[in-house]
Amino acid sequence: MNSSPNSDQPGVRVQARGLRKSFHGQEVLKGIDFEVQPGEIFVLMGPSGSGKSVLLKHVIGLEEPDAGEILLNGKPILSAEVMEEYRLAMVFQSGALLNSLTVGENVGLYLAEHQLKPPREIARIVAEKLEVVGLKGQEDKLPSELSGGMKKRVAIARALVIEPQLILYDEPTSELDPLSAVIIGQEILQLQERAHVTSLVVTHDRDLAFGVADRIAFINDGQILTIGSPDELKRNKDPLIQKFLTADFKPH
Ligand SMILES: Nc1ncnc2c1ncn2[C@@H]1O[C@H](COP(=O)(O)OP(=O)(O)O)[C@@H](O)[C@H]1O
Ligand SMILES: [Mg+2]
């Protein structure tokens, strides 16, 4: 899509530095710092309302911080240079598919709208990306004909058409049955192995987090409590983290 030197690097380094954000006087991000290595799968886990989605929107430049910054390979995300230079993709929580378009049209929409490729080439790319997510030949289906898990996979295929260097997933397993959730986790792992993309996964799904993460940041109330490997997180003594990791329906 562009030929600058950075566009050939598979994964980008992401740094969040002192990120703060308030909405209507309510502080939602209270000073967030982390660094994601190129090619790493970094999970942001924490309870609902802790600021995960807001944080992800800052990483892709959809929200502007009140203070602090996001850097991609050392450059501010909000600079025009970075926006042009790097290929970033976000898989939204809802999937955000257009119901009036077919699966194939949804996946190829970006390329078609920006007239980046001729129709035949778009069809080839769409077929290739659908195959990657296990939906070979499903181009002509409508979103309404798909299960929740299939819709999420279409959303991932759509993210893949730009050959992203950074993929952001917002709650990729929400509303999915356990088996579909496992398949999504496998997709995330395979994409990382195949394309060495940097992956940032926001989730409150413990199984997904521990299944895919190189490292996990635990976020609560707009602050990161700890960052570590899945094993380090399991050994963390913070009562809130332990409660979150062990909560179930069984009486203790
Ligand atoms: N655009 C917005 N305007 C006002 N408040 C917002 C906005 N986006 C998020 N919030 C608030 O920020 C807090 C964190 O939201 P969010 O990041 O969506 O949490 P989660 O960790 O569940 O993804 C919530 O209290 C939410 O209501
Ligand atoms: Mg959210």
Side-chain angles (χ1 to χ4, degrees):
M1 238 149 281
N2 64 52
S3 56
S4 63
N6 281 311
S7 61
D8 297 330
Q9 291 176 9
V12 290
R13 180 188 315 279
V14 182
Q15 288 163 287
R17 284 200 194 148
L19 217 57
R20 291 181 176 272
K21 181 73 173 179
S22 296
F23 293 109
H24 319 297
Q26 182 208 354
E27 198 170 32
V28 170
L29 301 181
K30 302 179 176 176
I32 297 277
D33 293 273
F34 63 81
E35 184 167 333
V36 185
Q37 304 304 323
E40 187 177 22
I41 300 181
F42 192 83
V43 170
L44 284 155
M45 181 165 66
S48 291
S50 54
K52 304 183 299 295
S53 293
V54 170
L55 177 53
L56 215 52
K57 285 180 190 157
H58 281 80
V59 173
I60 203 168
L62 287 175
E63 290 279 3
E64 244 182 279
D66 299 333
E69 58 184 355
I70 295 282
L71 304 173
L72 295 188
N73 285 356
K75 294 181 198 160
I77 173 77
L78 291 168
S79 63
E81 186 192 354
V82 164
M83 286 298 195
E84 281 169 19
E85 201 167 355
Y86 296 103
R87 295 183 307 276
L88 319 177
M90 177 132 166
V91 179
F92 288 94
Q93 182 159 5
S94 61
L97 300 181
L98 297 174
N99 289 319
S100 59
L101 301 183
T102 65
V103 164
E105 286 165 344
N106 266 286
V107 174
L109 187 61
Y110 180 84
L111 297 177
E113 275 200 331
H114 295 83
Q115 300 186 333
L116 294 170
K117 308 269 182 192
R120 192 179 296 179
E121 178 65 2
I122 293 176
R124 188 193 64 74
I125 294 169
V126 166
E128 180 190 297
K129 301 312 176 196
L130 283 174
E131 188 168 359
V132 168
V133 300
L135 292 174
K136 189 176 176 189
Q138 306 288 309
E139 280 89 339
D140 296 334
K141 292 240 167 78
L142 286 168
S144 58
E145 298 174 275
L146 304 180
S147 68
M150 288 162 91
K151 281 185 201 163
K152 296 263 182 180
R153 278 144 67 193
V154 173
I156 294 174
R158 187 178 51 185
L160 294 180
V161 297
I162 61 164
E163 305 283 345
Q165 295 154 291
L166 171 65
I167 307 189
L168 310 174
Y169 301 90
D170 195 358
E171 304 282 4
T173 59
S174 65
E175 301 145 46
L176 296 189
D177 65 82
L179 184 59
S180 304
V182 165
I183 292 170
I184 293 294
Q186 286 168 348
E187 297 293 350
I188 293 171
L189 282 170
Q190 278 168 17
L191 287 178
Q192 194 273 342
E193 281 165 17
R194 233 172 37 98
H196 305 290
V197 294
T198 306
S199 310
L200 197 48
V201 183
V202 154
T203 189
H204 60 249
D205 177 341
R206 291 172 296 188
D207 291 340
L208 177 73
F210 283 93
V212 304
D214 292 311
R215 287 186 304 148
I216 301 173
F218 192 92
I219 180 169
N220 184 56
D221 193 21
Q223 289 175 305
I224 289 180
L225 300 187
T226 187
I227 299 177
S229 68
D231 280 344
E232 284 167 343
L233 194 71
K234 276 183 194 154
R235 291 197 298 268
N236 191 293
K237 296 279 189 290
D238 186 297
L240 183 84
I241 294 175
Q242 279 312 316
K243 243 189 212 164
F244 190 90
L245 295 186
T246 58
D248 61 33
F249 287 113
K250 292 184 221 99
H252 289 289

